[in-house]
Amino acid sequence: MMNFKKVLIRSMKMELKKGIELESAFLTRNSCLMFCLILFFGCVNERTSNSDNWQSISSVDDLWKHHPNQIRSLFEAIDLQQPALESVATVLAKGDTVSAAEELLKYYRKTDRNWVVTTLDAVPYAESLRTANALLADTVIRHGNPVKIPFKPDGGWDWNYTGPDKDDEFGYSLNGLRYLSSLFQVWKKTETIEYIEVYDRLIKDWVIHHPLPARDDSIYLVLNNQSLDYRDIGELGWRTIQAGQRLGAVWPQTFYAFQTEDTFSPAARLLMLSSTNIQAEFLTKYHKNGHNWTTMEMNGLALAGLSFPEFKRGNHWANYALEVMANEINRQVYPDGVQSEISTKTQWVALRRFESVADNFQKANRKISEAYLKRVEEMYQYMAYSIRPDGHQPLNNDSDRDDLREIVLKAAARFDRPDWNYIVTNGKMGNKPEIDPSVTFPWAGIHIMRNGWYEKAHWSFFDAGPYGTGHQHRDKLHLSVMAFGKDLLVDGGRYTHKDYFSFDPTMWRGYFRSSFSHNVILVDGKGQNGGLTRTDTPLVENQDYSHHPLYDFAHGTFSDGYEGVEGKATHTRSVLYLRDKYWVVMDQLETDRLRELQVLWHFAPDNEIMIKDTEAVSTNAKGANLRIVPVGNMKWKSEIVKGQEKPFIQGWYSEVFGEKEPNPTVVYTADIAKSSIFVWLLVPAEGEVPTADTQMKQTGNLVKLTIKENNGSTTNIALPLNNNPSGVKVKF
């Protein structure tokens, strides 16, 4: 909180920028103190309006009596020169604003824009039914759990409510209003009028109690200063991302969906139209750039413009949004198709909005360029070729273990990609890809190593790329492993957004974002610092990685230091995958002083683990197992940590946001007095994992390994310390 106060004071002393107008260019000592106290104790001005008896407002007359400026501002924004609106203009010219508003509503009742309704996201009916029925009881469903919304004294919802856990993410979701679409989905099937009544009430409630923030509101400190965050001021309703979500996911669609229903009151209709203009102009001025938020903001702005061409600025909104998105898809998305936040979850968030804008333009009979569609296809290419053999996406940065099969199959049909069909169905449909099953995405620095497209194939995810431009985890050089249809080594996931910016492993958010929940190395008990957010150059084949018929090789280096650790500590990791056999991981830790190292290997929760002579092996009675063999003479101490909360969190896994469970984590600890090299052999098997005899020696610039399996086969491997792929030698 003290840091926040300092930031605010510093911000308020800056030269005031475009969105904030006060009586003087610089704050006086007294006004600065007063403003600081207001922000510190209240965080956000209440932004009240004349909302007495708001629930009784139903007709145009009612709205004109209580909120005349809503109607005035609407008519200022509508283009009454359009021929279709001639009757509205004629009545308004006579000075009868109420009758003109009624005439405008008649126009919309007669307008066929059913294509807008079709842009609603598909949701299973059972889910919509549960959500809609909960809304009848003033309850929302959040991560599967019902939460009753408290009321304000005037009978409206408390839109600043952050849920039982006091989590701002709850408040953001509440103000995004996307749950309102469920009321239409269920009404359409049941024709139960109560669903429209709730919709009408909530629309009036939200619009009346959410006027555009005044020019001296604290929100403009965030909008005009990217170093501040909405969480610093407690803003829930007017974040730009929520405006984009409202306009892109629910607002225009439900407006047209309920046009024929009298229960959808004239007042609510006019409030929606007036607020559409306000929100669209807000997004036009204050949207982000180079961020996944931008895609949601511009998706909403584009749909507002396409859905409401009657506004003077409607065409501008649509064209401007498309222009921004065309720039963003090249700015945000690397040439290899990976969005710059390098989170598979965010990849889909951005992709669906890039694609949604294209779809909506086409539905509105507007053109979209082939170059833009090609970029959308490249984003799907990453999702298809990084997918696990069981159809789920990688867990990297802020992601969940989501099933991608339906998404990729739909994209395969759209873009005529039978190779994607083949990958997703494990060869049951489509055409076998012409490229190797292992693939590197050189800009993102992601290496997918696998031995085939079948259901029980080996699969691994090695992260040697940039930190990412958002939703980052401190996980460079992390390795995930899956084999025989089962996760073996895993990324920890994300679990929560509470304490959003934390990397502190004593806090849940901090643990899941930090190195502590990934298969990396801790130095002197500390995790990685943040790194380079994006790259200007890709990895180079046969220099940073190589793919051969028998093996795959890749390496990466983390040199950005460890939190609070002095001196040099640079970690280089090389991964060699021998197709159909095992992974060899070589770690090099360069240091200028004595260090304590902890090498972390997080197993999936459903693995039983035992340690024997420092080797860690899963002992599942059925299915896949993995043996971890430390190779060489390093004096490791090993232990299994599972479900630890004190003195710091360790041994937890989150497959789905909001849910967590203990997972066994093998921690190898050793002290080193100088720069050191150590190697790990990761052997998967279906059933019991056989033992292997390993030997390691360093000869000049090579680390030579001999691996003797219990079936009698011997493999000799040479790994170059300069990490040049041409120096890798494998002899069976």
Side-chain angles (χ1 to χ4, degrees), residues 54-226:
W54 66 270
Q55 294 186 74
S56 65
I57 298 173
S58 178
S59 67
V60 177
D61 272 323
D62 294 335
L63 188 62
W64 180 247
K65 177 181 177 181
H66 291 278
H67 298 279
N69 284 337
Q70 292 280 2
I71 300 178
R72 290 193 185 105
S73 65
L74 173 59
F75 278 125
E76 289 174 1
I78 291 289
D79 181 8
L80 295 176
Q81 299 302 312
Q82 294 184 19
L85 297 176
E86 182 180 359
S87 62
V88 181
T90 299
V91 176
L92 189 63
K94 296 177 181 179
D96 190 347
T97 307
V98 170
S99 295
E102 291 171 342
E103 192 69 23
L104 180 65
L105 295 183
K106 290 179 185 177
Y107 163 83
Y108 277 109
R109 278 180 176 267
K110 294 184 294 183
T111 300
D112 181 7
R113 290 211 179 102
N114 191 58
W115 71 263
V116 179
V117 183
T118 68
T119 67
L120 280 172
D121 289 335
V123 177
Y125 181 74
E127 181 180 334
S128 291
L129 181 62
R130 187 184 182 205
T131 302
N133 285 340
L135 289 171
L136 295 180
D138 294 294
T139 297
V140 298
I141 305 296
R142 176 73 171 162
H143 300 309
N145 300 313
V147 179
K148 182 83 171 180
I149 306 302
F151 290 98
K152 300 284 278 185
D154 65 4
W157 277 12
D158 180 0
W159 296 100
N160 287 322
Y161 183 53
T162 54
D165 297 326
K166 294 180 171 56
D167 184 354
D168 284 351
E169 290 293 328
F170 181 95
Y172 303 150
S173 176
L174 186 68
N175 284 275
L177 302 181
R178 286 178 291 179
Y179 46 82
L180 293 183
S181 64
S182 67
L183 295 167
F184 164 65
Q185 300 288 8
V186 177
W187 166 80
K188 183 173 66 172
K189 189 168 184 176
T190 66
E191 297 186 350
T192 303
I193 201 170
E194 283 79 8
Y195 296 115
I196 308 179
E197 291 174 344
V198 170
Y199 172 84
D200 189 83
R201 171 169 59 87
L202 292 178
I203 286 292
K204 290 189 294 187
D205 188 0
W206 193 90
V207 176
I208 288 172
H209 296 108
H210 287 84
L212 182 69
R215 289 176 296 176
D216 61 348
D217 190 275
S218 57
I219 191 173
Y220 297 103
L221 290 173
V222 178
L223 294 171
N224 294 313
N225 187 341
Q226 296 300 310

Side-chain angles (χ1 to χ4, degrees), residues 272-299:
M272 287 191 79
L273 288 169
S274 178
S275 183
T276 296
N277 177 66
I278 293 169
Q279 294 183 71
E281 287 298 305
F282 178 74
L283 284 176
T284 303
K285 186 174 183 179
Y286 292 112
H287 66 84
K288 285 184 178 289
N289 292 292
H291 199 283
N292 79 82
W293 279 31
T294 317
T295 66
M296 288 177 275
E297 292 160 351
M298 292 301 100
N299 177 64

Side-chain angles (χ1 to χ4, degrees), residues 50 57 202 226 349 417 429 529 554 566 643:
N50 178 17
I57 298 173
L202 292 178
Q226 296 300 310
V349 169
R417 293 295 301 266
M429 295 170 54
N529 289 322
E566 296 182 354

Side-chain angles (χ1 to χ4, degrees), residues 505-557:
T506 67
M507 306 173 71
W508 287 112
R509 173 67 173 165
Y511 165 73
F512 282 100
R513 295 187 76 200
S514 73
S515 303
F516 283 71
S517 71
H518 297 88
N519 299 324
V520 295
I521 293 177
L522 306 182
V523 175
D524 294 337
K526 303 296 183 180
Q528 299 174 358
N529 289 322
L532 186 70
T533 58
R534 62 180 302 138
T535 184
D536 295 324
T537 57
L539 301 181
V540 179
E541 190 168 10
N542 297 321
Q543 177 178 309
D544 300 300
Y545 67 95
S546 61
H547 298 295
H548 294 271
L550 297 178
Y551 65 85
D552 305 292
F553 175 80
H555 70 88
T557 297

